[in-house]
Amino acid sequence: EAYNKAVVWSSSDETIASVKDNGDGSATIITKKAGNATVTVVAVDNSELSASCEITVLEKIVNYLTAQDMEVSSGTSFVLPIELVNEDAITGFQCDIYLPDGIEFEMYDDEYDIELANRATSSHILSSALQNDGSVRVLAYSTSSKVFNDNNGTLFNLKLTTSDSFEDNVQIIIKNIVMTTPSEVEFKPTDLTITISKRQYISGDTNNDGVINVTDVVRIANYVLGNEPSGFVFEAADI
């Protein structure tokens, strides 16, 4: 209810964040570069009436990994696609994958079953290795500096399995992500967290396809005979 409602806005560092007075007591902050700045507003009639806040401007991330949260069954196999979104041409990457209790990598010829998707070229090589902290490091690069095709889409697939004791809403975390261009410019995007939730079962639906039919009966018979049908949902079969 002041007679004079005019205020003055300012920034402690205009090169990081500038302030534009909207003329109605509010202001628009315009970010310039990464860093910290203090934005202050002061009443024109009384400089003792003021307020301020700290602004943290982060680097714009233009190259990063992403993935969709998933709902999966316990005691089954699933594929988790990891996507790359990139403005720059990327020729190689590495990352460390941390799996929660109840989720494990599938193995193929004693190797972690991780495959590059069709964004990779024929010259790209992928390797993986267990680290001391229990994570699995994935590394891929081109032997001839070829870049990954396109600017978005699946880069590689993780083939995983859930145990019968798999809990609901666990997280797969991908850390220590490093990407490089053919000219050896490095990018280190933020960590990626993927939530895996437990799919609810229909009693008797042993392949969890949403319907119960003779295929489920045959799968139960195969399970009893010890044939271990792929993706068999024991909880649904336990009827």
Side-chain angles (χ1 to χ4, degrees):
E1 297 178 356
Y3 177 76
N4 184 355
K5 296 180 173 60
V7 294
V8 176
W9 293 88
S10 63
S11 169
S12 63
D13 192 333
E14 293 278 344
T15 66
I16 294 174
S18 62
V19 189
K20 177 184 177 182
D21 193 335
N22 293 331
D24 59 359
S26 68
T28 300
I29 297 171
I30 303 168
T31 60
K32 302 293 185 63
K33 67 177 183 180
N36 296 301
T38 301
V39 173
T40 302
V41 60
V42 180
V44 169
D45 280 356
N46 185 349
S47 61
E48 293 183 1
L49 297 178
S50 65
S52 63
C53 66
E54 293 290 329
I55 301 296
T56 299
V57 182
L58 304 178
E59 288 282 2
K60 181 182 178 182
I61 300 175
V62 295
N63 307 298
Y64 58 93
L65 297 180
T66 184
Q68 297 292 322
D69 294 339
M70 293 187 69
E71 185 181 70
V72 300
S73 306
S74 59
T76 191
S77 303
F78 69 100
V79 176
L80 176 60
I82 306 298
E83 299 179 12
L84 167 66
V85 178
N86 57 296
E87 288 188 7
D88 295 281
I90 302 297
T91 187
F93 74 93
Q94 74 173 54
C95 61
D96 295 339
I97 301 173
Y98 295 79
L99 297 182
D101 292 340
I103 298 181
E104 295 181 350
F105 282 100
E106 286 195 359
M107 306 298 291
Y108 181 76
D109 287 343
D110 295 325
E111 299 285 342
Y112 297 103
D113 202 346
I114 304 170
E115 294 182 348
L116 287 171
N118 56 12
R119 288 193 61 186
T121 69
S122 59
S123 70
H124 278 95
I125 295 173
L126 183 142
S127 64
S128 57
L130 182 65
Q131 305 297 292
N132 291 334
D133 62 358
S135 66
V136 171
R137 174 158 295 177
V138 178
L139 184 148
Y141 61 95
S142 169
T143 55
S144 55
S145 294
K146 298 292 185 181
V147 299
F148 294 112
N149 299 317
D150 303 323
N151 296 104
N152 60 71
T154 301
L155 183 62
F156 62 99
N157 292 298
L158 305 178
K159 295 188 177 181
L160 307 170
T161 60
T162 57
S163 67
D164 292 337
S165 58
F166 160 60
E167 298 294 332
D168 195 18
N169 293 326
V170 296
Q171 293 182 329
I172 295 173
I173 301 175
I174 301 181
K175 295 183 176 181
N176 305 321
I177 305 169
V178 181
M179 303 175 188
T180 187
T181 68
S183 58
E184 301 175 14
V185 176
E186 282 190 1
F187 299 96
K188 297 180 179 179
T190 54
D191 298 344
L192 171 63
T193 300
I194 308 131
T195 299
I196 307 297
S197 55
K198 190 172 183 179
R199 181 175 294 163
Q200 301 301 314
Y201 306 109
I202 300 173
S203 184
D205 184 14
T206 61
N207 59 0
N208 207 21
D209 64 353
V211 296
I212 304 169
N213 54 30
V214 68
T215 301
D216 298 299
V217 178
V218 171
R219 289 169 63 82
I220 291 175
N222 278 323
Y223 182 87
V224 172
L225 292 171
N227 294 329
E228 298 183 0
S230 176
F232 187 80
V233 183
F234 179 82
E235 290 89 341
D238 186 22
I239 56 178

